[in-house]
Amino acid sequence: MNASISELSRRAEQLAGQRNWGEAESIYRQILARQPGHGESLVQLSYIASLQGHYRAARDYALAAAGSRPKELPVLSELAKRLRTFNEAEVLLECLRGLGSLDCIPIPLLLAFAAQLSYLNRQEDALRLLDEAKRADPDYPPTLMARAQILTYLGRFQAAEQDLQYCLRRAPEIAQAWWLVSRLRKQSREANHVDRLRRLLAVPGKRPEEVALLAYALHKELDDIGDVAGAGEALTLACRAKRSTLKYQSEESQRLIDALIELPVAGNAPTTASDGDSRRVPIFIVGMHRSGTTLLEQLLDGHGDIHGVGELYDFTSQMRWATDYHCRGVIDETLVRKAAVGVDYAAAGQGYLQKMEWRLGKERFFTDKLPSNFLNIGFICQALPQAKILHMVRDPVETCFSNLRELFSDANPYSYDQQELAFYYRQYERLMAHWRTAYPGRVLDVDYGRLTRDTETVLREVSDFCGFAFEPGMLALQERTRGVATASAVQVRDRVVALERPKWAPYEDYLQPLIRGLKAGTA
């Protein structure tokens, strides 16, 4: 029977690879009929359901797989990813506990669970697993890179650099390690990796992903030492390499914004004892990426009655559940069309609060700092009438330049071409103008420039809007110890800095396509 199941599994996997979902699903069901609780089949059925857009079925299969308590390492690794996809953090942690003592868990599995815990912004928990992985094998490059990334999030930059430098001595060909080490500190003319990065980029046969990592590292280091021309050339190479790996059309973003604006504007969801009168008040911090959202959250986290949680996809999960649709990214046009047919917003809000509870302490307020939740503002206003929405506003060119020079994972596919980036920014501004009109009084614009120049005044305005008293501890940015899993992980450990000259100014000539594109929206 086991051999027969193995053969069926291989056939189902082949069919799934051909996107023949129906036949693949049928075979996996045959396996389950023979061996109920077959973990691999349940995990694969979860993936198939997601790829067909069926969120609830995909989640149910993932939970069933967890309940089957699989032992195979590949199945457990995929299961960890699935559970994190559905924000089933408590089930994920239970699976981890079920594996027994950490010293009995294979290193690849420690790395797999650590990655998912980091995505859930549980950096200390992730580090505990990576410390064990390093103890078991102190020379394994993937462990050293993963551990360095978590240490960076936790503000332990010297320890992160030590791991990366050792990794590079053992495996100098790993592009990601060079990218990570370039970000840890400002390079100097006397001490940098510029020549080494150029030699690595000159080696033929590199994949676009490797070129992007090395070129972004080179751009950052050349910028650090003041070589603007060289940094611009490196950035062009980096963006071109990354863009070549992505499928994106600006028209998709325009259609999404159109669909959101076309949604009927409804009043707030009726308040009930379970939501409107809740002791928990979410503070959504939204805006374009790289607009200062992390800085604002770090400042608010200094308040005694605010719990800073970080970038979460929990609200997205609730909208996927409400529409029974599994989209890629935070939202897409199909999800919006499904929401227009009818959504139980009260249930979505209650589900959101319930799923957040395991993260929280005694504080009444908590921050949810996913910048692209600006797309979800209309849904948030209806699902969570007590929620406060803070919208970070920053100079458009500075915001876009900061996006252009940031290597994201799978997010923000619009940010690697100046014209596409400018077009997306105009769509974002169009949507924010709509939300202000549709839901007056629900969104507070927080100007990044004012926040850095007159921090206390702006924080007092934010405090009044959100309904808590200003506390001086909010200003003590350097006292924060919480993990920051964003591109600003290094910068926000320091004091608030107001720049006299914007970072994009030396690149004005280089950025003309972007600047012209942004102006096109104001003509």
Side-chain angles (χ1 to χ4, degrees), residues 118 121 123 147-158 160 179-180 183-185 220 289-290 292-298 310-311 369 402 406-408 477-478 480-495 503:
S118 178
N121 210 22
Q123 309 305 336
R147 189 170 181 271
Q149 183 71 84
I150 301 301
L151 289 168
T152 300
Y153 292 157
L154 292 170
R156 295 165 57 181
F157 306 127
Q158 185 175 358
W179 177 71
L180 288 169
R183 297 157 59 85
L184 285 174
R185 58 180 173 84
K220 196 270 182 185
H289 280 84
R290 313 298 294 145
T293 55
T294 301
L295 173 62
L296 180 57
E297 183 181 51
Q298 281 287 86
E311 293 192 358
K369 189 211 78 70
S402 191
E406 183 62 45
L407 178 58
F408 297 97
L477 189 64
Q478 292 160 302
R480 306 294 187 271
T481 59
R482 59 185 288 271
V484 178
T486 74
S488 304
V490 176
Q491 297 96 312
V492 297
R493 297 292 177 182
D494 206 348
R495 68 190 188 281
K503 292 181 180 179

Side-chain angles (χ1 to χ4, degrees), residues 42 45-46 49 54-67 83 86 88 321 324:
L42 290 166
L45 283 167
S46 177
H54 305 314
Y55 184 83
R56 295 180 186 177
R59 174 180 171 273
D60 289 345
Y61 280 127
L63 292 177
L83 293 173
F86 301 107
E88 291 294 341
W321 174 264
D324 190 19

